[in-house]
Amino acid sequence: MRRQVSPQRPSGSRAGAVPRLTKTLAAVLIAHAALAAAHAQSGRAGRKTEAEPVRRGEYFNSERALEHVKSLVGFGPRPAGSKALALSRRYIEKQLRGVGLDVSTDEWTAETPAGKLRMANVIAELRGETEEAIIVASHYDTKRFKDFPFVGANDGASSTAVLIEIARSLAVSREKRHFTYRFVFFDGEESVCADWDECGRPGAPDNTYGSRRYVGRLRARNQLKNVRALVLLDMVGYEKLELGRETASTPWLIDIIWGTARSLGYGDIFLEREEAVGGDDHEPFLAAGVPAVDIIQLETYPHWHTRDDTLDKISRRSLRVVGEVVLASLPRVEEKLKGGGL
């Protein structure tokens, strides 16, 4: 996953590339404050909370998101082509179909430095009034390591879990939408070789297999023009979550999401600093002219690509914050895409 030069990083790291509130968001803040007050008055330590309200008719359930992380980690290491990843895929599909989403799987054989590997992207669709689409995505594979079991609790499982619950939240709201939403779970984001660029060739990088496959299929079907924006999630569950503004991402998308986070009181997590990533699943979309943003903690996550990227590093609050912010940002993304003011 991502390249970042740092003395604390393993040798396989990547070289770093270095409004106004709508009425809807005002309602979000009121609901959020009311829920916090209700919890404070309950006086019951460790009480199981209900789903947190995000906007009218929509909820993000962080407890369920944490259960998804546990389930995915329970399958063990999940590199592309593995049986554990196939089990993860079936789990994801079951969750999505359970809320009535149209789910499809695009399977193909990828040529990799490790030989031919079977890969599969999972795509769930929530139909809107038009063919114009907003994509929310994550990769669900884990990095392939031979010398230790890498379960990728943060790197793969956390963002996958949040994406499942974002999809659920939007699906159960029954709200009419102008845009079609697609929830895409990419396979093969991680490089097969230890280093991100170790085995790549011009035109055939050893990474981002799933996102490149997906963009290629959209282009071949003349559907790329319908994709208006991509919101990518990656490594969003750390208990000490800090999210910088990823340097390659589309500025107006960053501004909307980080501004929404501040409005919700999460400026301590969505920070006004740069996050140098240097490669992720948003880049094939950017290269194709699609506005895209990568929500990721890389520079300050000390357990990246180590045996310590385990379940105990994951915070339910971190999952909740990211889920809430993305859901509350989407109406403003829609407004921007339809030509409205911010």
Side-chain angles (χ1 to χ4, degrees):
M1 147 136 341
R2 272 85 303 142
R3 295 179 298 167
Q4 178 61 42
V5 172
S6 167
Q8 287 78 38
R9 294 289 184 268
S11 61
S13 57
R14 309 181 192 177
V18 169
R20 156 176 84 80
L21 286 177
T22 62
K23 291 181 179 179
T24 301
L25 279 175
V28 170
L29 294 174
I30 293 171
H32 186 77
L35 183 69
H39 284 176
Q41 293 169 6
S42 69
R44 294 173 60 184
R47 177 182 176 182
K48 184 175 182 180
T49 61
E50 299 300 320
E52 299 86 350
V54 176
R55 65 177 186 176
R56 180 173 55 82
E58 293 177 11
Y59 298 87
F60 184 87
N61 191 313
S62 57
E63 289 182 0
R64 195 155 47 206
L66 184 58
E67 288 303 313
H68 296 323
V69 177
K70 292 177 181 178
S71 295
L72 293 166
V73 169
F75 294 128
R78 304 173 301 284
S82 66
K83 291 182 179 178
L85 192 62
L87 291 174
S88 300
R89 183 161 57 250
R90 287 197 285 271
Y91 176 87
I92 294 166
E93 292 168 346
K94 180 180 179 181
Q95 299 301 317
L96 300 171
R97 290 194 174 104
V99 291
L101 290 168
D102 293 328
V103 181
S104 61
T105 304
D106 172 33
E107 298 188 46
W108 77 100
T109 300
E111 297 285 348
T112 80
K116 294 181 178 181
L117 291 177
R118 292 295 294 169
M119 295 189 184
N121 291 335
V122 178
I123 304 101
E125 187 167 87
L126 180 62
R127 296 290 302 169
E129 297 173 342
T130 71
E131 294 295 321
E132 293 182 292
I134 295 173
I135 296 174
V136 190
S138 165
H139 78 93
Y140 71 105
D141 63 312
T142 57
K143 175 71 177 173
R144 180 186 303 264
F145 287 107
K146 295 180 180 179
D147 52 344
F148 63 89
F150 179 69
V151 297
N154 196 31
D155 193 357
S158 68
S159 54
T160 298
V162 171
L163 181 54
I164 290 171
E165 284 306 306
I166 287 173
R168 184 194 304 274
S169 298
L170 293 176
V172 302
S173 73
R174 309 299 181 192
E175 181 179 330
K176 285 188 177 181
R177 289 178 168 78
H178 173 80
F179 293 96
T180 290
Y181 274 88
R182 293 200 195 110
F183 311 102
V184 185
F185 300 78
F186 294 124
D187 198 350
E189 186 267 358
E190 300 285 7
S191 58
V192 171
C193 294
D195 280 346
W196 184 257
D197 294 323
E198 178 183 347
C199 300
R201 306 186 310 277
D206 173 32
N207 50 63
T208 61
Y209 293 92
S211 52
R212 288 186 290 113
R213 162 81 176 186
Y214 188 75
V215 170
R217 283 170 62 84
L218 288 174
R219 183 179 285 111
R221 296 175 177 181
N222 197 31
Q223 295 175 346
L224 195 56
K225 63 182 182 297
N226 295 331
V227 179
R228 301 297 307 281
L230 167 79
V231 177
L232 178 67
L233 307 175
D234 196 350
M235 299 172 66
V236 295
Y238 186 37
E239 59 188 353
K240 300 176 183 177
L241 187 63
E242 294 182 2
L243 299 166
R245 298 164 66 103
E246 197 275 323
T247 55
S249 296
T250 302
W252 67 261
L253 274 170
I254 295 178
D255 289 344
I256 286 176
I257 294 171
W258 264 247
T260 301
R262 288 195 303 272
S263 300
L264 294 174
Y266 299 138
D268 62 326
I269 290 178
F270 284 75
L271 304 178
E272 294 301 318
R273 65 161 175 80
E274 291 187 346
E275 180 83 21
V277 173
D280 208 345
D281 281 320
H282 64 316
E283 292 201 347
F285 289 86
L286 290 170
V290 177
V293 60
D294 190 6
I295 302 175
I296 179 174
Q297 178 179 13
L298 174 64
E299 294 183 356
T300 56
Y301 184 57
H303 311 295
W304 175 67
H305 283 181
T306 73
R307 67 175 71 247
D308 297 321
D309 186 359
T310 47
L311 190 60
D312 59 303
K313 310 304 187 303
I314 304 303
S315 160
R316 187 173 73 85
R317 179 178 184 269
S318 296
L319 302 174
R320 174 174 62 81
V321 167
V322 174
E324 283 188 358
V325 169
V326 171
L327 282 169
S329 297
L330 291 175
R332 301 186 72 199
V333 173
E334 294 174 12
E335 184 181 0
K336 170 71 174 181
L337 291 173
K338 287 189 288 187
L342 294 177

